[in-house]
Amino acid sequence: MQGPTPAADPQSFDRVLSSMCTEPHPAARAAAERFLATNPGDPGTYRTVAELEDRAVELLASLVDHPSPADAAGYVTSGGTEANLQAVRAARDRHAAAHRNGGPGVNVVAPESAHFSFHKAADVLGVALRTVPLDEDHRADIEAMWAAVDDATALVVGVAGTTEYGRVDPIPELGRIASSVNALLHVDAAWGGFLLPFTDHDWSFADAPVDTLTVDPHKFGQAPVPAGGLLARESATLDALAVETPYLETRSQATLTGTRSGAGVAGTVAAMKELWPDGYREAAERAGENAEWLAAELSARGYDVVEPELPLVAAAMPNEEFDALRKAGWRISRTGAGELRIVCMPHVTREMLRALVDDLDRIHT
Ligand code: PLP
């Protein structure tokens, strides 16, 4: 077949300022390569990687303050989308079992800032997604969340590190809202989970009656893609998702995908062994300083900046300037409201940000 030769090398991270993924830690990359041909979806056959997944879950459970990391329920998902979908599925089924009338009419209440994966989950699972307006600082508006729940609410969602502005919802208050209607509480810390342990935010299993939580090693955790994480306070929450698997050596499976990448599992364990907690703390501090620096530089140039809470900077920017930066090779994105959005991931250095600001100055002159 004729056609252009595919590029031999993947894109470098030199100019990537829009991604929530990053360069994997070298140890994680090597581990992922070693386990490339293993399948934790078939734990009876692929025992080594299955044991490694238990270790991954234990490490992730420690990170998110699970009350009992050694026997926490969870697994390494393909990403935040699958983890969020499984949380919705678990809550829907629990609600159906309790009410004997699940299915139509069941709803999930989430702030408008919830990642679009919840829209996919609602569509696939046949539940109504009630999105609720935010307060003026881009967090879930508590009064609006109280007003949105009712007896048909199966799940209340809070985000700990929103995709657009890096905001943390008031998770303990969302827990009270969920309890008031006997719904589960899910925290989406897909991106924030590897940053929040080094802050004083309330977001984890220890801070609130969180039932399920998404935390993705392939984002700030510096593991290779695909490595998301789903954890549950009670094993029963995930056990309820299990289906029988007649042709495998093991008898049931609670994951959404069947065959899964052992690379994600091995990469997660390797990255966390190298980096938890000191390496992640250093990365979080460096990212936070970079975000503060960029926010100050943009403010000094007259841009209207959304003050960063986690290392994510948003700033209103005219279209022509945004387009000129993209033409200069920067991989940058916009918020839904059109602001420039820069995610200060571990690969984003001060030199990169200086070069961005220099380009902006050149565009102005
Ligand atoms: N949740 C949050 C808060 C996210 O920011 C993202 C992606 O950026 C996701 C979920 C979805 O994760 P994934 O793309 O790994 O499926």
Side-chain angles (χ1 to χ4, degrees):
M1 223 171 68
Q2 295 283 306
T5 313
D9 292 318
Q11 176 184 332
S12 90
F13 280 91
D14 287 8
R15 301 218 137 199
V16 175
L17 299 175
S18 55
S19 182
M20 290 191 140
C21 292
T22 192
E23 208 151 16
H25 187 282
R29 183 188 288 270
E33 277 171 16
R34 237 180 6 260
F35 279 82
L36 208 53
T38 63
N39 171 18
D42 183 1
T45 304
Y46 297 93
R47 288 190 185 189
T48 311
V49 77
E51 282 166 21
L52 212 51
E53 184 162 32
D54 293 342
R55 181 77 184 122
V57 169
E58 185 179 351
L59 285 163
L60 286 170
S62 303
L63 179 89
V64 301
D65 282 331
H66 189 282
S68 179
D71 42 39
Y75 72 97
V76 177
T77 65
S78 55
T81 299
E82 180 186 342
N84 287 340
L85 188 142
Q86 288 280 79
V88 174
R89 182 174 161 223
R92 180 200 65 174
D93 292 354
R94 172 184 172 272
H95 189 274
H99 292 78
R100 300 221 188 101
N101 67 346
V106 172
N107 67 69
V108 169
V109 174
E112 268 171 10
S113 53
H115 185 260
F116 56 75
S117 49
F118 288 98
H119 293 266
K120 295 184 187 176
D123 186 28
V124 170
L125 296 167
V127 303
L129 181 64
R130 292 185 180 168
T131 53
V132 171
L134 308 178
D135 66 16
E136 69 284 356
D137 198 23
H138 310 285
R139 290 188 192 81
D141 182 287
I142 285 301
E143 272 177 36
M145 293 292 283
W146 273 111
V149 296
D150 57 25
D151 287 345
T153 303
L155 185 69
V156 172
V157 174
V159 190
T162 58
T163 314
E164 292 200 323
Y165 298 104
R167 291 301 191 248
V168 181
D169 287 329
I171 305 297
E173 187 64 23
L174 296 181
R176 283 186 274 281
I177 295 172
S179 305
S180 75
V181 289
N182 194 27
L184 293 185
L185 173 65
H186 176 69
V187 170
D188 182 1
W191 179 67
F194 282 83
L195 293 153
L196 289 162
F198 314 109
T199 69
D200 54 10
H201 285 285
D202 289 333
W203 65 286
S204 72
F205 282 105
D207 299 323
V210 176
D211 293 293
T212 51
L213 188 145
T214 294
V215 54
D216 285 356
H218 73 199
K219 295 196 170 72
F220 219 92
Q222 299 176 50
V225 180
L230 174 65
L231 293 162
R233 183 182 293 273
E234 309 282 348
S235 306
T237 310
L238 293 192
D239 290 347
L241 295 177
V243 298
E244 286 179 25
T245 54
Y247 75 87
L248 297 183
E249 286 190 59
T250 44
R251 276 166 307 167
S252 77
Q253 192 175 82
T255 55
L256 184 64
T257 51
T259 299
R260 292 187 286 136
S261 168
V265 169
T268 297
V269 173
M272 291 195 73
K273 269 167 66 180
E274 290 286 330
L275 297 169
W276 171 249
D278 294 343
Y280 289 130
R281 181 183 294 109
E282 279 160 31
E285 282 171 4
R286 198 163 14 89
E289 285 161 13
N290 279 338
E292 293 292 341
W293 181 86
L294 180 63
E297 292 292 319
L298 292 175
S299 286
R301 285 162 177 77
Y303 294 100
D304 195 2
V305 175
V306 179
E307 213 29 61
E309 186 167 271
L310 293 178
L312 198 164
V313 181
M317 178 169 283
N319 283 343
E320 315 78 66
E321 294 180 21
F322 183 91
D323 292 343
L325 286 177
R326 279 193 69 97
K327 269 210 193 83
W330 294 105
R331 312 317 308 164
I332 47 176
S333 65
R334 291 179 187 282
T335 64
E339 294 131 328
L340 166 76
R341 168 182 170 274
I342 305 276
V343 195
C344 294
M345 294 299 289
H347 66 268
V348 174
T349 61
R350 185 68 61 88
E351 290 65 42
M352 280 168 76
L353 296 175
R354 268 205 197 97
L356 175 86
V357 171
D358 286 349
D359 278 355
L360 207 48
D361 288 341
R362 258 192 293 280
I363 288 163
H364 268 146
T365 50

